[in-house]
Amino acid sequence: MRDDTPNSWESRADSYSLYGFTDLPSIHERGAVIVTHGKGPYVYDVHGRSYLDGNSGLWNMVAGFDHPGLAEAAKAQYDRFPGYHAFFGRMSDQTVMLSEKLVEVSPFDRGRVFYTNSGSEANDTMVKMLWFLAGAEGHPQRRKIITRINSYHGVTAVSASMTGKPYNSVFGLPLPGFIHVGCPHYWRFGKDGESEAQFTERMARELEATIITEGPDTIAGFFAEPVMGAGGVIPPSAGYFQAVQKVLKKYGIPLIADEVICGFGRTGNTWGCQTYDFVPDAIISSKNITAGYFPMGAVILGPDLADRLQDASEAIEEFPHGFTASGHPVGCAVALKAIDVVMNEGLAENVRTLTPHFEAGLARLAENPNIGEWRGKGLMGALEAVKDKATKTPFDGKLSVSERIANTCTDHGLICRPLGQAIVLCPPFICTKDHLDEMFDKLEKALKKVFAEVA
Ligand SMILES: *Cc1c(COP(=O)(O)O)cnc(C)c1O
């Protein structure tokens, strides 16, 4: 695979660039995939090979890689007004329009929007808002943040502290005051003889016990992805959000929905919280908000938090926070177009149309004796590899089973992602049934090959 001549793209990439979340020894052996362009759901590398991107880039390229309307929206805005900030009482007209649109499509009757350049920064911003409110409202001790094991909220020092994955220990994270409660993955964490409803009740009881132990008046907020994404595509157990929200309301703790992946159609509705029938106090958005055509994140505050932030900012004279490129006019123009494309040009509709076919494909591959379960919602899904299906025993980590499956797929022109021992699929919303069939066929061949090697 790897072209090792000194001037090859692979060598140049390794010499001068750093990769995120990459197994360096294996990339040195295999060579990076250097992509030049895309067409629909496919990307093309420097050698002219094509890959069906079963992960929509990083969940976000939902309109595919060559959507003409999105490129045109960006070009038109670059021509009109190429950049501005949202500080000191100034902002672009595009920013004004996007905020109106975001509140209109949100589950809130009214609200206010704050922009960032990424999902991590949006989570950081939300935490700073909660800390700011705590101070301004006379509860300076109300600073702790609760999230869940296996959640993914980003990589900045605060959002990495929120992320419930062990890899952050290499940074000495989480920071103090970031607390992780149980992951609502019934298949993995349900006890013998425990029904799903009992499991959900236990999750809520454990949350309440944690709140009481920590001190209810020390907790600033609870953050949750409606479906956990980068933690392995984990839908909540039945009734989870209703049970958890009841506990949070009892103690006056805001529920923040991290909709960075679920938002704008991924689970079949505009928001994941709609799919699971709850209304949070605020929404964190990024990724699909621009269909990946511009870096952007947003904090969408519901009415209560919006009013409180306004009062607190008046009392302190300002909310001292913001990024230079927050509310960038090109990003806002692209987001306005992306929201229109997803919601009004049939993409969200296509997610709903394709979901039964997607689920049937996952279910078919899950018949493999080395697939423990399939799970998912809308167009996000995962297959969990196991050594023993009956006991749900995972493979020895040293075998790198999911990495080998994903690498085999890459060799056959399919990009999919290993996450723990699972393989994650989240294809672009523009896919057809044929694209999904191609994806499942390639994945099935890779599963057979790798399981034959390790069995
Ligand atoms: C990707 C992701 C983030 C972080 O967004 P970045 O833009 O990578 O900083 C936060 N939350 C969730 C749920 C995500 O999937």
Side-chain angles (χ1 to χ4, degrees), residues 315-371:
I316 300 178
E317 285 180 8
E318 67 172 339
F319 173 54
H321 180 80
F323 301 93
T324 302
S326 291
H328 193 288
V330 175
C332 291
V334 171
L336 280 163
K337 182 69 187 174
I339 293 168
D340 187 46
V341 165
V342 169
M343 295 185 68
N344 305 322
E345 283 185 15
L347 266 65
E349 185 62 39
N350 197 40
V351 172
R352 290 190 284 274
T353 309
L354 285 180
T355 294
H357 196 67
F358 182 65
E359 291 180 344
L362 288 168
R364 185 171 63 80
L365 296 197
E367 285 166 17
N368 187 302
N370 289 114
I371 297 294

Side-chain angles (χ1 to χ4, degrees), residues 131-189:
W131 288 347
F132 178 77
L133 286 181
E137 294 174 351
H139 309 283
Q141 79 293 348
R142 193 172 284 171
R143 294 180 64 82
K144 291 178 190 165
I145 300 293
I146 305 180
T147 57
R148 288 98 44 85
I149 291 164
N150 285 329
S151 65
Y152 184 86
H153 298 290
V155 295
T156 54
V158 159
S159 61
S161 295
M162 296 163 68
T163 292
K165 302 297 283 185
Y167 50 68
N168 281 314
S169 65
V170 299
F171 304 108
L173 295 174
L175 295 168
F178 288 83
I179 298 152
H180 300 102
V181 295
C183 169
H185 187 187
Y186 176 58
W187 177 81
R188 178 52 80 197
F189 300 116

Side-chain angles (χ1 to χ4, degrees), residues 118-120 123 152-154 225 258 260-261 286-287:
S118 68
S120 302
N123 278 312
Y152 184 86
H153 298 290
E225 305 152 82
D258 183 342
V260 170
I261 285 176
S286 189
K287 293 202 168 95

Side-chain angles (χ1 to χ4, degrees), residues 107-108 242 245 249 255 257 273-274 276-282 303:
F108 309 127
Q242 285 66 34
Q245 192 165 37
K249 281 202 169 134
L255 165 57
C273 62
Q274 292 165 332
Y276 291 100
D277 200 19
F278 68 98
V279 180
D281 295 286

